[in-house]
Amino acid sequence: MVRAGLSPERLTLAGAELADEAGFDQVTLSALARRFDVKVASLYSHLKNSQELKTRIALLALEELADQVAHAVAGRAGKDALMAFANAYRDYARAHPGRYEAARFRLDPRTAAASAGVRHAQMTRAILRGYNLTEPDQTHAVRMLGSVFHGYANLEAAGGFSHTDVASQESWVWTLDSLDAALRNRATP
Amino acid sequence: MVRAGLSPERLTLAGAELADEAGFDQVTLSALARRFDVKVASLYSHLKNSQELKTRIALLALEELADQVAHAVAGRAGKDALMAFANAYRDYARAHPGRYEAARFRLDPRTAAASAGVRHAQMTRAILRGYNLTEPDQTHAVRMLGSVFHGYANLEAAGGFSHTDVASQESWVWTLDSLDAALRNRATP
DNA sequence: GCGTCTACCTAAATCCTGTAGGCAAATCGA
DNA sequence: TCGATTTGCCTACAGGATTTAGGTAGACGC
């Protein structure tokens, strides 16, 4: 009986790949067991339950996304930083739809507070420094940007933008231009 | 043996209520059968499978949402119409979280084309008439507005805006003000 | 080499989906 | 009103996912 060499990390990674290939809701312990050619019960030595698997995939996705955004934004400011941030976000959602979906998985508050989600909020605020907003406007802006990025990625993933011949890329740039203008408008002199 | 008086319509409505109470992913034929005190297999006389149930709930939600938006927007124009539209959208998402989630359920293209989703798109374009946008700007704007509304409702439902003491309502108004300004900025003279 | 730990196993309970076939209530035609 | 047909709900069953309990054999420390 050769051992498969499972671990929470390998299972999480395989789960993330499975999510990208088949959708986050197709990520089951059974599917994962098949992928490793192992019996389902064996996975319970490494993961408490399927909830933990999903949580781990979500945390992985948040981490990866935060890394990519951080890398994209580094050394940029103002509109340049805004565009880099938004593009990193959208690119990740397009390249890793399952992981992106996982990143939206509802975490319990304690887990969320310890996740890379915190870095996302910090980076968003960092972007906004270039726009000279005072509180509470900065908080409002964080929420607005989060909504647009998330909403756009979501609708695009759902195929909502594929029924006209206007390219999604153009709408995206147009949207970011509009947001930039709106934020500059809000700047305190 | 008293008959329960099931029908696709009653099942759909009960499913929608169940979604609001417990979440769309908790909507199962089993749960529905329990609610009607009926055996699961009996439901298959009225619904092809659980996919059809979910699709019907999604269509119901789209219909209801379109009705509410249409009612809210009637007789308004410009920013007034934009606010009414956006508020109707958000209010529905808050009052009926499960149905709202259902409205985002991925429909196959044929079903989607015959759904109230079409009315949503039309109404969004109607709102934008007040901003005097030419194509393709109008399409871009439709996408931007859809993203913001959807993204905001989604993040709010996920509890993403409950960690600071800045009221979500204020951010919402601020966001709508910003969008209005951005759209006015885009108007062709 | 021996004992312990642990990775993976079998077995089984529970729950959800879906199919096949049966009985009785509702309905309709004469 | 009575008989035939339709149909609403049933039992039975099969398949797949989750999860727990308990067993066996490989890996590893001494």
Side-chain angles (χ1 to χ4, degrees):
Chain A
M1 189 191 301
V2 184
R3 299 205 176 185
L6 305 179
S7 71
E9 289 71 27
R10 282 194 67 194
L11 289 170
T12 303
L13 197 58
E17 286 161 11
L18 182 56
D20 284 338
E21 291 162 20
F24 188 55
D25 55 334
Q26 295 301 306
V27 175
T28 67
L29 291 180
S30 296
L32 216 50
R34 276 192 293 276
R35 184 167 278 227
F36 282 99
D37 202 24
V38 140
K39 298 297 170 186
V40 192
S42 307
L43 304 185
Y44 285 84
S45 312
H46 305 280
L47 301 165
K48 205 160 92 343
N49 50 33
S50 78
Q51 170 83 11
E52 183 181 344
L53 173 64
K54 287 175 186 159
T55 299
R56 278 175 177 274
I57 297 174
L59 293 174
L60 172 70
L62 285 172
E63 202 79 50
E64 287 182 351
L65 184 50
D67 287 348
Q68 300 218 0
V69 168
H71 185 259
V73 163
R76 297 179 195 276
K79 184 178 181 181
D80 207 26
L82 177 70
M83 302 289 267
F85 186 114
N87 283 323
Y89 201 90
R90 174 165 174 252
D91 289 348
Y92 187 83
R94 286 152 62 102
H96 299 291
R99 284 162 150 99
Y100 178 75
E101 216 182 321
R104 306 263 62 102
F105 183 65
R106 187 154 194 169
L107 303 172
D108 71 283
R110 304 183 63 88
T111 312
S115 76
V118 182
R119 281 168 66 203
H120 289 262
Q122 288 169 348
M123 288 190 292
T124 311
R125 284 202 134 76
I127 295 294
L128 289 170
R129 272 202 283 277
Y131 290 96
N132 213 32
L133 299 175
T134 52
E135 282 297 355
D137 281 13
Q138 208 178 84
T139 298
H140 298 328
V142 167
R143 292 173 178 181
M144 181 175 76
L145 291 182
S147 298
V148 179
F149 298 165
H150 172 46
Y152 201 96
N154 224 300
L155 292 179
E156 191 172 36
F161 296 161
S162 52
H163 283 309
T164 53
D165 49 358
V166 176
S168 183
Q169 174 63 25
E170 288 169 30
S171 297
W172 177 243
V173 172
W174 189 92
T175 297
L176 295 180
D177 282 342
S178 301
L179 289 177
D180 172 64
L183 291 175
R184 274 190 282 106
N185 234 28
R186 293 288 195 172
T188 54
Chain B
M1 191 191 300
V2 185
R3 299 203 174 184
L6 306 178
S7 71
E9 289 71 25
R10 282 193 68 195
L11 289 170
T12 303
L13 197 57
E17 285 161 11
L18 181 57
D20 285 338
E21 290 162 22
F24 189 55
D25 54 335
Q26 294 302 307
V27 175
T28 67
L29 291 181
S30 296
L32 215 50
R34 275 193 294 277
R35 184 167 279 229
F36 281 99
D37 202 25
V38 141
K39 299 296 168 188
V40 190
S42 307
L43 304 186
Y44 285 86
S45 311
H46 305 279
L47 301 166
K48 205 159 96 337
N49 50 31
S50 76
Q51 170 84 12
E52 182 181 344
L53 173 64
K54 287 175 186 158
T55 300
R56 278 176 178 271
I57 297 174
L59 293 175
L60 171 70
L62 286 172
E63 203 79 48
E64 287 183 350
L65 185 49
D67 287 347
Q68 300 217 359
V69 168
H71 185 259
V73 163
R76 298 179 193 275
K79 185 180 181 182
D80 208 27
L82 176 69
M83 302 288 266
F85 186 113
N87 284 323
Y89 201 88
R90 175 167 173 248
D91 290 347
Y92 187 82
R94 285 152 62 103
H96 300 291
R99 283 161 152 99
Y100 179 74
E101 217 183 318
R104 308 261 63 103
F105 184 66
R106 186 150 195 172
L107 302 171
D108 71 283
R110 304 182 63 87
T111 311
S115 76
V118 182
R119 280 167 67 203
H120 289 263
Q122 289 170 346
M123 290 189 291
T124 311
R125 284 203 134 76
I127 294 294
L128 290 170
R129 270 202 284 276
Y131 290 96
N132 214 31
L133 300 174
T134 52
E135 282 298 355
D137 282 12
Q138 208 177 87
T139 296
H140 298 329
V142 167
R143 291 172 177 182
M144 182 175 74
L145 291 182
S147 298
V148 179
F149 299 164
H150 173 46
Y152 202 95
N154 224 300
L155 293 179
E156 191 172 36
F161 296 163
S162 52
H163 283 310
T164 54
D165 50 359
V166 177
S168 183
Q169 174 62 26
E170 288 168 29
S171 297
W172 178 243
V173 172
W174 189 93
T175 297
L176 294 181
D177 282 342
S178 301
L179 289 177
D180 172 65
L183 290 175
R184 273 189 283 108
N185 233 28
R186 294 288 196 173
T188 53

